[in-house]
Amino acid sequence: MHDSTRLLSGAVVGVEAVATLAFALSGVLAAARKRLDAVGVCVVAGLTAFGGGTLRDLLLDRRPYYWVEHPGWIWVILGLCVVAMRWMRARHIVPTERAMQWPDALGLGLFTAGGTQMALGLGMPAAVAVLMGIISAVFGGVLRDIVCNEIPTAFRDHRPYALCSFIGAWALVGAQALRAPVWAGLTVAVVVATGLRLLALLTDYRLPRWLPPPADAE
Amino acid sequence: MHDSTRLLSGAVVGVEAVATLAFALSGVLAAARKRLDAVGVCVVAGLTAFGGGTLRDLLLDRRPYYWVEHPGWIWVILGLCVVAMRWMRARHIVPTERAMQWPDALGLGLFTAGGTQMALGLGMPAAVAVLMGIISAVFGGVLRDIVCNEIPTAFRDHRPYALCSFIGAWALVGAQALRAPVWAGLTVAVVVATGLRLLALLTDYRLPRWLPPPADAE
Amino acid sequence: MHDSTRLLSGAVVGVEAVATLAFALSGVLAAARKRLDAVGVCVVAGLTAFGGGTLRDLLLDRRPYYWVEHPGWIWVILGLCVVAMRWMRARHIVPTERAMQWPDALGLGLFTAGGTQMALGLGMPAAVAVLMGIISAVFGGVLRDIVCNEIPTAFRDHRPYALCSFIGAWALVGAQALRAPVWAGLTVAVVVATGLRLLALLTDYRLPRWLPPPADAE
């Protein structure tokens, strides 16, 4: 492995660590809103945190997984769940959906950058690398929603989410095409994806409805 | 790779191309009926189109995936979604379930043939090859229904679907056992699986109910 | 492969055989309660039986899968489904959830033991091996519930299930750390996991609720 690859790999791992915590927390909150039991909370937190990255690694045939290479993370997630549950129990509150949006937006940007860079590093075509960035960023949440028996929020709430990931991932591909250093590409992708997501949340922007709501709308 | 293997591989790839489009369209329509947003439509279309084949490849440890080898297809699916959404928006209609049945039946036969042949080519036992044909053909739709938060249609509507795939796959295994050329086996499987499906639709045939409907039936 | 590894491998395969049948039956019953059609019953049975082990093998990159190495099992499951459906049809009854609990508890213990041992044998860290034991034991049922469009029972009914698997898996890790022979570790894990599960069922023990039920509780 070249030194630059090693450095890149290190940057990607660091990026994933912060994103993992942000996503685990979003899983805890989703599970709490569905009143899952303590086991369900831990599983959904873990699935949200590691699901997207693991699916990406599975598709890219990349081993070892993040949580196999760093099994300490399994304990970190378990600890986070216990602390979060005790906190919610003591306060008798479940944080609202709004509280999930900030860590979630950060996780979105970080995983997009990490996943896209990783796929590019493995020589994938640009469109596939972008897809891998989106899968890393979005499919943890998709698995979370599927386990919680909901249509994934990312696909139905008309707020740009996967779209921010898509644009951020292309920003990274563009930066790389312009021969920007890896750290610059990663930074651009995080700033673009997270920034667009936060902007969309602050302005309450919605994707245009392309069909009238159905007669049997929920 | 032998020439015959290469030819076989080419035939399988061609078969998958047509089936992919048919399934993507069925995904668009399912997403439209659930009023997903534009991102959801594209994801569900892609999942329906590539999900079954990707799951098969994942289980068979076969790389690269169809959409990695041919990343242009990602754009084709995206384009199909945009065109379909604009068309539905202009006409103010969502095609009924009935309109999905014809491309779906074709996709069923084509993926059954492709998946079974691929597994046989990798030296899998006949029962596993049949299973791989069924997974290729049926699990795109299963993933589509799971993401749309429905019990998969294939498992509950008492119309033969996976069963047509099952019979078509065994027809291919039978043809191969009789030393028929590969193209003949593929053709037989497509004709049998798609034909049985269309026959079942035209005659409105239902699998026998094996239990009375529950008191709390939907 | 050393002789001891071969022996271990044999023991694990034997353990999986019994557990597979127990889980398939639990899948048949779940599908019957949802009134799936005959195809759905077979798929859900197969998914419950092989889903956990296959996901574990997929994550561990271990081939061939159980059902590829022993394709006869596909027929065994199909046969079990046909017999079970005929029996339910003749008696006009669907066994209650209670009837599923005993084979399910046995499957839980057996898969926990098999999955944990397998991951340890592949040199995984203890926490990952425990996770693999839990995935083997619990994710067949999780996939069953997802396909049946339910929040997985294991995550919401406040009865210890994955927790029993967790403790049983650590018992195996502990036994191995104490240099107990492999068969002893496997036995301990099965006895602990299945025993705890049965004990919880008999005493109707519930995990403490950590939040009040929501206003919009089901």
Side-chain angles (χ1 to χ4, degrees), chain B residues 147-175:
Chain B
V147 167
C148 288
N149 204 16
E150 300 269 359
I151 295 182
T153 322
F155 301 160
R156 74 186 161 95
D157 77 346
H158 289 84
R159 287 190 189 129
Y161 187 81
L163 193 62
C164 305
S165 171
F166 182 81
I167 298 173
W170 279 110
L172 193 155
V173 170

PDB file of all heavy atoms in Angstrom, chain B residues 147-175:
ATOM      1  N   VAL B 147     -39.675  -2.208   0.679  1.00  0.00           N
ATOM      2  CA  VAL B 147     -39.408  -0.771   0.821  1.00  0.00           C
ATOM      3  C   VAL B 147     -40.715   0.020   0.808  1.00  0.00           C
ATOM      4  O   VAL B 147     -40.851   1.017   1.511  1.00  0.00           O
ATOM      5  CB  VAL B 147     -38.449  -0.289  -0.288  1.00  0.00           C
ATOM      6  CG1 VAL B 147     -38.415   1.226  -0.362  1.00  0.00           C
ATOM      7  CG2 VAL B 147     -37.051  -0.820  -0.036  1.00  0.00           C
ATOM      8  N   CYS B 148     -41.690  -0.445   0.031  1.00  0.00           N
ATOM      9  CA  CYS B 148     -42.992   0.238  -0.009  1.00  0.00           C
ATOM     10  C   CYS B 148     -43.870  -0.176   1.166  1.00  0.00           C
ATOM     11  O   CYS B 148     -45.047   0.183   1.210  1.00  0.00           O
ATOM     12  CB  CYS B 148     -43.700  -0.052  -1.325  1.00  0.00           C
ATOM     13  SG  CYS B 148     -42.951   0.785  -2.727  1.00  0.00           S
ATOM     14  N   ASN B 149     -43.313  -0.939   2.102  1.00  0.00           N
ATOM     15  CA  ASN B 149     -44.012  -1.321   3.327  1.00  0.00           C
ATOM     16  C   ASN B 149     -45.272  -2.147   3.060  1.00  0.00           C
ATOM     17  O   ASN B 149     -46.323  -1.911   3.633  1.00  0.00           O
ATOM     18  CB  ASN B 149     -44.358  -0.067   4.150  1.00  0.00           C
ATOM     19  CG  ASN B 149     -44.545  -0.382   5.623  1.00  0.00           C
ATOM     20  OD1 ASN B 149     -44.136  -1.439   6.094  1.00  0.00           O
ATOM     21  ND2 ASN B 149     -45.159   0.518   6.348  1.00  0.00           N
ATOM     22  N   GLU B 150     -45.118  -3.127   2.177  1.00  0.00           N
ATOM     23  CA  GLU B 150     -46.192  -4.074   1.872  1.00  0.00           C
ATOM     24  C   GLU B 150     -45.669  -5.497   2.075  1.00  0.00           C
ATOM     25  O   GLU B 150     -44.476  -5.740   1.902  1.00  0.00           O
ATOM     26  CB  GLU B 150     -46.591  -3.961   0.392  1.00  0.00           C
ATOM     27  CG  GLU B 150     -47.098  -2.623  -0.036  1.00  0.00           C
ATOM     28  CD  GLU B 150     -48.596  -2.525   0.105  1.00  0.00           C
ATOM     29  OE1 GLU B 150     -49.226  -3.522   0.514  1.00  0.00           O
ATOM     30  OE2 GLU B 150     -49.134  -1.453  -0.168  1.00  0.00           O
ATOM     31  N   ILE B 151     -46.563  -6.412   2.403  1.00  0.00           N
ATOM     32  CA  ILE B 151     -46.179  -7.821   2.303  1.00  0.00           C
ATOM     33  C   ILE B 151     -45.986  -8.106   0.819  1.00  0.00           C
ATOM     34  O   ILE B 151     -46.843  -7.767   0.007  1.00  0.00           O
ATOM     35  CB  ILE B 151     -47.272  -8.747   2.877  1.00  0.00           C
ATOM     36  CG1 ILE B 151     -47.425  -8.501   4.377  1.00  0.00           C
ATOM     37  CG2 ILE B 151     -46.923 -10.202   2.604  1.00  0.00           C
ATOM     38  CD1 ILE B 151     -48.446  -9.411   5.026  1.00  0.00           C
ATOM     39  N   PRO B 152     -44.849  -8.698   0.442  1.00  0.00           N
ATOM     40  CA  PRO B 152     -44.592  -8.893  -0.991  1.00  0.00           C
ATOM     41  C   PRO B 152     -45.759  -9.583  -1.701  1.00  0.00           C
ATOM     42  O   PRO B 152     -46.239 -10.617  -1.263  1.00  0.00           O
ATOM     43  CB  PRO B 152     -43.331  -9.759  -1.000  1.00  0.00           C
ATOM     44  CG  PRO B 152     -42.616  -9.374   0.253  1.00  0.00           C
ATOM     45  CD  PRO B 152     -43.711  -9.122   1.252  1.00  0.00           C
ATOM     46  N   THR B 153     -46.199  -8.950  -2.806  1.00  0.00           N
ATOM     47  CA  THR B 153     -47.307  -9.491  -3.597  1.00  0.00           C
ATOM     48  C   THR B 153     -47.054 -10.946  -3.967  1.00  0.00           C
ATOM     49  O   THR B 153     -47.981 -11.762  -3.966  1.00  0.00           O
ATOM     50  CB  THR B 153     -47.433  -8.692  -4.916  1.00  0.00           C
ATOM     51  OG1 THR B 153     -47.168  -7.325  -4.642  1.00  0.00           O
ATOM     52  CG2 THR B 153     -48.803  -8.854  -5.508  1.00  0.00           C
ATOM     53  N   ALA B 154     -45.808 -11.248  -4.281  1.00  0.00           N
ATOM     54  CA  ALA B 154     -45.479 -12.587  -4.752  1.00  0.00           C
ATOM     55  C   ALA B 154     -45.816 -13.654  -3.723  1.00  0.00           C
ATOM     56  O   ALA B 154     -45.950 -14.827  -4.066  1.00  0.00           O
ATOM     57  CB  ALA B 154     -43.985 -12.667  -5.086  1.00  0.00           C
ATOM     58  N   PHE B 155     -45.943 -13.266  -2.466  1.00  0.00           N
ATOM     59  CA  PHE B 155     -46.127 -14.264  -1.419  1.00  0.00           C
ATOM     60  C   PHE B 155     -47.558 -14.335  -0.917  1.00  0.00           C
ATOM     61  O   PHE B 155     -47.867 -15.129  -0.039  1.00  0.00           O
ATOM     62  CB  PHE B 155     -45.232 -13.951  -0.209  1.00  0.00           C
ATOM     63  CG  PHE B 155     -43.782 -13.908  -0.527  1.00  0.00           C
ATOM     64  CD1 PHE B 155     -42.894 -13.252   0.328  1.00  0.00           C
ATOM     65  CD2 PHE B 155     -43.280 -14.509  -1.664  1.00  0.00           C
ATOM     66  CE1 PHE B 155     -41.546 -13.197   0.034  1.00  0.00           C
ATOM     67  CE2 PHE B 155     -41.930 -14.453  -1.961  1.00  0.00           C
ATOM     68  CZ  PHE B 155     -41.061 -13.792  -1.110  1.00  0.00           C
ATOM     69  N   ARG B 156     -48.442 -13.447  -1.425  1.00  0.00           N
ATOM     70  CA  ARG B 156     -49.738 -13.413  -0.776  1.00  0.00           C
ATOM     71  C   ARG B 156     -50.938 -13.315  -1.695  1.00  0.00           C
ATOM     72  O   ARG B 156     -52.067 -13.449  -1.252  1.00  0.00           O
ATOM     73  CB  ARG B 156     -49.791 -12.253   0.223  1.00  0.00           C
ATOM     74  CG  ARG B 156     -49.916 -10.905  -0.416  1.00  0.00           C
ATOM     75  CD  ARG B 156     -49.828  -9.810   0.598  1.00  0.00           C
ATOM     76  NE  ARG B 156     -49.497  -8.593  -0.078  1.00  0.00           N
ATOM     77  CZ  ARG B 156     -50.401  -7.696  -0.496  1.00  0.00           C
ATOM     78  NH1 ARG B 156     -51.666  -7.903  -0.292  1.00  0.00           N
ATOM     79  NH2 ARG B 156     -50.003  -6.615  -1.120  1.00  0.00           N
ATOM     80  N   ASP B 157     -50.750 -13.069  -2.995  1.00  0.00           N
ATOM     81  CA  ASP B 157     -51.953 -12.807  -3.791  1.00  0.00           C
ATOM     82  C   ASP B 157     -52.509 -14.064  -4.453  1.00  0.00           C
ATOM     83  O   ASP B 157     -53.435 -13.980  -5.243  1.00  0.00           O
ATOM     84  CB  ASP B 157     -51.715 -11.690  -4.802  1.00  0.00           C
ATOM     85  CG  ASP B 157     -50.924 -12.152  -5.999  1.00  0.00           C
ATOM     86  OD1 ASP B 157     -50.333 -13.244  -5.938  1.00  0.00           O
ATOM     87  OD2 ASP B 157     -50.892 -11.430  -7.007  1.00  0.00           O
ATOM     88  N   HIS B 158     -51.945 -15.230  -4.108  1.00  0.00           N
ATOM     89  CA  HIS B 158     -52.485 -16.509  -4.583  1.00  0.00           C
ATOM     90  C   HIS B 158     -52.458 -16.648  -6.095  1.00  0.00           C
ATOM     91  O   HIS B 158     -53.035 -17.579  -6.624  1.00  0.00           O
ATOM     92  CB  HIS B 158     -53.914 -16.745  -4.053  1.00  0.00           C
ATOM     93  CG  HIS B 158     -53.941 -17.046  -2.589  1.00  0.00           C
ATOM     94  ND1 HIS B 158     -53.936 -16.056  -1.634  1.00  0.00           N
ATOM     95  CD2 HIS B 158     -53.938 -18.209  -1.907  1.00  0.00           C
ATOM     96  CE1 HIS B 158     -53.943 -16.608  -0.436  1.00  0.00           C
ATOM     97  NE2 HIS B 158     -53.938 -17.901  -0.559  1.00  0.00           N
ATOM     98  N   ARG B 159     -51.824 -15.683  -6.792  1.00  0.00           N
ATOM     99  CA  ARG B 159     -51.624 -15.893  -8.220  1.00  0.00           C
ATOM    100  C   ARG B 159     -50.247 -16.462  -8.402  1.00  0.00           C
ATOM    101  O   ARG B 159     -49.300 -16.016  -7.765  1.00  0.00           O
ATOM    102  CB  ARG B 159     -51.727 -14.573  -8.968  1.00  0.00           C
ATOM    103  CG  ARG B 159     -53.133 -14.090  -9.053  1.00  0.00           C
ATOM    104  CD  ARG B 159     -53.206 -12.914 -10.010  1.00  0.00           C
ATOM    105  NE  ARG B 159     -54.527 -12.323  -9.919  1.00  0.00           N
ATOM    106  CZ  ARG B 159     -54.767 -11.031  -9.731  1.00  0.00           C
ATOM    107  NH1 ARG B 159     -53.756 -10.195  -9.638  1.00  0.00           N
ATOM    108  NH2 ARG B 159     -55.978 -10.584  -9.665  1.00  0.00           N
ATOM    109  N   PRO B 160     -50.095 -17.452  -9.270  1.00  0.00           N
ATOM    110  CA  PRO B 160     -48.761 -18.034  -9.442  1.00  0.00           C
ATOM    111  C   PRO B 160     -47.786 -16.998  -9.993  1.00  0.00           C
ATOM    112  O   PRO B 160     -48.073 -16.353 -10.994  1.00  0.00           O
ATOM    113  CB  PRO B 160     -48.983 -19.176 -10.435  1.00  0.00           C
ATOM    114  CG  PRO B 160     -50.324 -18.980 -11.005  1.00  0.00           C
ATOM    115  CD  PRO B 160     -51.108 -18.083 -10.114  1.00  0.00           C
ATOM    116  N   TYR B 161     -46.668 -16.809  -9.319  1.00  0.00           N
ATOM    117  CA  TYR B 161     -45.654 -15.869  -9.797  1.00  0.00           C
ATOM    118  C   TYR B 161     -44.293 -16.554  -9.635  1.00  0.00           C
ATOM    119  O   TYR B 161     -43.669 -16.952 -10.611  1.00  0.00           O
ATOM    120  CB  TYR B 161     -45.747 -14.564  -9.007  1.00  0.00           C
ATOM    121  CG  TYR B 161     -44.851 -13.470  -9.520  1.00  0.00           C
ATOM    122  CD1 TYR B 161     -45.236 -12.715 -10.612  1.00  0.00           C
ATOM    123  CD2 TYR B 161     -43.629 -13.209  -8.914  1.00  0.00           C
ATOM    124  CE1 TYR B 161     -44.412 -11.719 -11.097  1.00  0.00           C
ATOM    125  CE2 TYR B 161     -42.808 -12.211  -9.394  1.00  0.00           C
ATOM    126  CZ  TYR B 161     -43.194 -11.470 -10.477  1.00  0.00           C
ATOM    127  OH  TYR B 161     -42.360 -10.494 -10.944  1.00  0.00           O
ATOM    128  N   ALA B 162     -43.867 -16.701  -8.363  1.00  0.00           N
ATOM    129  CA  ALA B 162     -42.638 -17.443  -8.136  1.00  0.00           C
ATOM    130  C   ALA B 162     -42.765 -18.865  -8.661  1.00  0.00           C
ATOM    131  O   ALA B 162     -41.788 -19.478  -9.104  1.00  0.00           O
ATOM    132  CB  ALA B 162     -42.293 -17.449  -6.648  1.00  0.00           C
ATOM    133  N   LEU B 163     -43.998 -19.387  -8.650  1.00  0.00           N
ATOM    134  CA  LEU B 163     -44.220 -20.748  -9.124  1.00  0.00           C
ATOM    135  C   LEU B 163     -43.915 -20.857 -10.621  1.00  0.00           C
ATOM    136  O   LEU B 163     -43.325 -21.859 -11.069  1.00  0.00           O
ATOM    137  CB  LEU B 163     -45.679 -21.135  -8.845  1.00  0.00           C
ATOM    138  CG  LEU B 163     -46.024 -22.610  -8.977  1.00  0.00           C
ATOM    139  CD1 LEU B 163     -45.237 -23.428  -7.976  1.00  0.00           C
ATOM    140  CD2 LEU B 163     -47.518 -22.818  -8.744  1.00  0.00           C
ATOM    141  N   CYS B 164     -44.289 -19.829 -11.408  1.00  0.00           N
ATOM    142  CA  CYS B 164     -43.979 -19.829 -12.840  1.00  0.00           C
ATOM    143  C   CYS B 164     -42.464 -19.802 -13.033  1.00  0.00           C
ATOM    144  O   CYS B 164     -41.920 -20.476 -13.918  1.00  0.00           O
ATOM    145  CB  CYS B 164     -44.586 -18.615 -13.523  1.00  0.00           C
ATOM    146  SG  CYS B 164     -46.354 -18.463 -13.276  1.00  0.00           S
ATOM    147  N   SER B 165     -41.800 -19.010 -12.181  1.00  0.00           N
ATOM    148  CA  SER B 165     -40.351 -18.941 -12.250  1.00  0.00           C
ATOM    149  C   SER B 165     -39.746 -20.300 -11.920  1.00  0.00           C
ATOM    150  O   SER B 165     -38.805 -20.768 -12.580  1.00  0.00           O
ATOM    151  CB  SER B 165     -39.864 -17.874 -11.265  1.00  0.00           C
ATOM    152  OG  SER B 165     -38.477 -17.899 -11.133  1.00  0.00           O
ATOM    153  N   PHE B 166     -40.302 -20.953 -10.901  1.00  0.00           N
ATOM    154  CA  PHE B 166     -39.841 -22.266 -10.464  1.00  0.00           C
ATOM    155  C   PHE B 166     -39.927 -23.279 -11.607  1.00  0.00           C
ATOM    156  O   PHE B 166     -38.960 -23.984 -11.920  1.00  0.00           O
ATOM    157  CB  PHE B 166     -40.714 -22.700  -9.280  1.00  0.00           C
ATOM    158  CG  PHE B 166     -40.370 -24.025  -8.654  1.00  0.00           C
ATOM    159  CD1 PHE B 166     -39.344 -24.134  -7.738  1.00  0.00           C
ATOM    160  CD2 PHE B 166     -41.105 -25.159  -8.964  1.00  0.00           C
ATOM    161  CE1 PHE B 166     -39.041 -25.352  -7.143  1.00  0.00           C
ATOM    162  CE2 PHE B 166     -40.809 -26.382  -8.377  1.00  0.00           C
ATOM    163  CZ  PHE B 166     -39.778 -26.479  -7.461  1.00  0.00           C
ATOM    164  N   ILE B 167     -41.087 -23.305 -12.282  1.00  0.00           N
ATOM    165  CA  ILE B 167     -41.281 -24.277 -13.366  1.00  0.00           C
ATOM    166  C   ILE B 167     -40.378 -23.936 -14.543  1.00  0.00           C
ATOM    167  O   ILE B 167     -39.742 -24.810 -15.139  1.00  0.00           O
ATOM    168  CB  ILE B 167     -42.772 -24.321 -13.771  1.00  0.00           C
ATOM    169  CG1 ILE B 167     -43.620 -24.775 -12.573  1.00  0.00           C
ATOM    170  CG2 ILE B 167     -42.973 -25.254 -14.958  1.00  0.00           C
ATOM    171  CD1 ILE B 167     -45.117 -24.702 -12.802  1.00  0.00           C
ATOM    172  N   GLY B 168     -40.284 -22.638 -14.874  1.00  0.00           N
ATOM    173  CA  GLY B 168     -39.412 -22.229 -15.969  1.00  0.00           C
ATOM    174  C   GLY B 168     -37.956 -22.596 -15.714  1.00  0.00           C
ATOM    175  O   GLY B 168     -37.233 -23.025 -16.614  1.00  0.00           O
ATOM    176  N   ALA B 169     -37.528 -22.426 -14.464  1.00  0.00           N
ATOM    177  CA  ALA B 169     -36.146 -22.753 -14.126  1.00  0.00           C
ATOM    178  C   ALA B 169     -35.887 -24.250 -14.270  1.00  0.00           C
ATOM    179  O   ALA B 169     -34.837 -24.667 -14.775  1.00  0.00           O
ATOM    180  CB  ALA B 169     -35.841 -22.292 -12.699  1.00  0.00           C
ATOM    181  N   TRP B 170     -36.839 -25.057 -13.834  1.00  0.00           N
ATOM    182  CA  TRP B 170     -36.666 -26.505 -14.003  1.00  0.00           C
ATOM    183  C   TRP B 170     -36.685 -26.901 -15.465  1.00  0.00           C
ATOM    184  O   TRP B 170     -36.011 -27.857 -15.872  1.00  0.00           O
ATOM    185  CB  TRP B 170     -37.728 -27.287 -13.213  1.00  0.00           C
ATOM    186  CG  TRP B 170     -37.363 -27.409 -11.771  1.00  0.00           C
ATOM    187  CD1 TRP B 170     -37.973 -26.791 -10.720  1.00  0.00           C
ATOM    188  CD2 TRP B 170     -36.285 -28.172 -11.214  1.00  0.00           C
ATOM    189  NE1 TRP B 170     -37.338 -27.117  -9.542  1.00  0.00           N
ATOM    190  CE2 TRP B 170     -36.303 -27.965  -9.819  1.00  0.00           C
ATOM    191  CE3 TRP B 170     -35.294 -29.001 -11.752  1.00  0.00           C
ATOM    192  CZ2 TRP B 170     -35.379 -28.555  -8.955  1.00  0.00           C
ATOM    193  CZ3 TRP B 170     -34.371 -29.587 -10.901  1.00  0.00           C
ATOM    194  CH2 TRP B 170     -34.419 -29.361  -9.526  1.00  0.00           C
ATOM    195  N   ALA B 171     -37.462 -26.170 -16.294  1.00  0.00           N
ATOM    196  CA  ALA B 171     -37.446 -26.434 -17.734  1.00  0.00           C
ATOM    197  C   ALA B 171     -36.045 -26.227 -18.292  1.00  0.00           C
ATOM    198  O   ALA B 171     -35.553 -27.021 -19.106  1.00  0.00           O
ATOM    199  CB  ALA B 171     -38.452 -25.518 -18.437  1.00  0.00           C
ATOM    200  N   LEU B 172     -35.371 -25.179 -17.824  1.00  0.00           N
ATOM    201  CA  LEU B 172     -34.006 -24.923 -18.281  1.00  0.00           C
ATOM    202  C   LEU B 172     -33.067 -26.040 -17.812  1.00  0.00           C
ATOM    203  O   LEU B 172     -32.237 -26.528 -18.581  1.00  0.00           O
ATOM    204  CB  LEU B 172     -33.518 -23.569 -17.766  1.00  0.00           C
ATOM    205  CG  LEU B 172     -32.250 -23.011 -18.406  1.00  0.00           C
ATOM    206  CD1 LEU B 172     -32.226 -21.499 -18.278  1.00  0.00           C
ATOM    207  CD2 LEU B 172     -30.975 -23.597 -17.825  1.00  0.00           C
ATOM    208  N   VAL B 173     -33.202 -26.442 -16.557  1.00  0.00           N
ATOM    209  CA  VAL B 173     -32.373 -27.536 -16.049  1.00  0.00           C
ATOM    210  C   VAL B 173     -32.624 -28.801 -16.865  1.00  0.00           C
ATOM    211  O   VAL B 173     -31.688 -29.516 -17.244  1.00  0.00           O
ATOM    212  CB  VAL B 173     -32.667 -27.788 -14.549  1.00  0.00           C
ATOM    213  CG1 VAL B 173     -32.012 -29.063 -14.071  1.00  0.00           C
ATOM    214  CG2 VAL B 173     -32.194 -26.609 -13.714  1.00  0.00           C
ATOM    215  N   GLY B 174     -33.916 -29.056 -17.182  1.00  0.00           N
ATOM    216  CA  GLY B 174     -34.262 -30.228 -17.982  1.00  0.00           C
ATOM    217  C   GLY B 174     -33.646 -30.160 -19.368  1.00  0.00           C
ATOM    218  O   GLY B 174     -33.062 -31.133 -19.858  1.00  0.00           O
ATOM    219  N   ALA B 175     -33.739 -28.973 -19.994  1.00  0.00           N
ATOM    220  CA  ALA B 175     -33.185 -28.801 -21.338  1.00  0.00           C
ATOM    221  C   ALA B 175     -31.680 -29.053 -21.334  1.00  0.00           C
ATOM    222  O   ALA B 175     -31.132 -29.692 -22.233  1.00  0.00           O
ATOM    223  CB  ALA B 175     -33.493 -27.393 -21.851  1.00  0.00           C
TER     224      ALA B 175
END
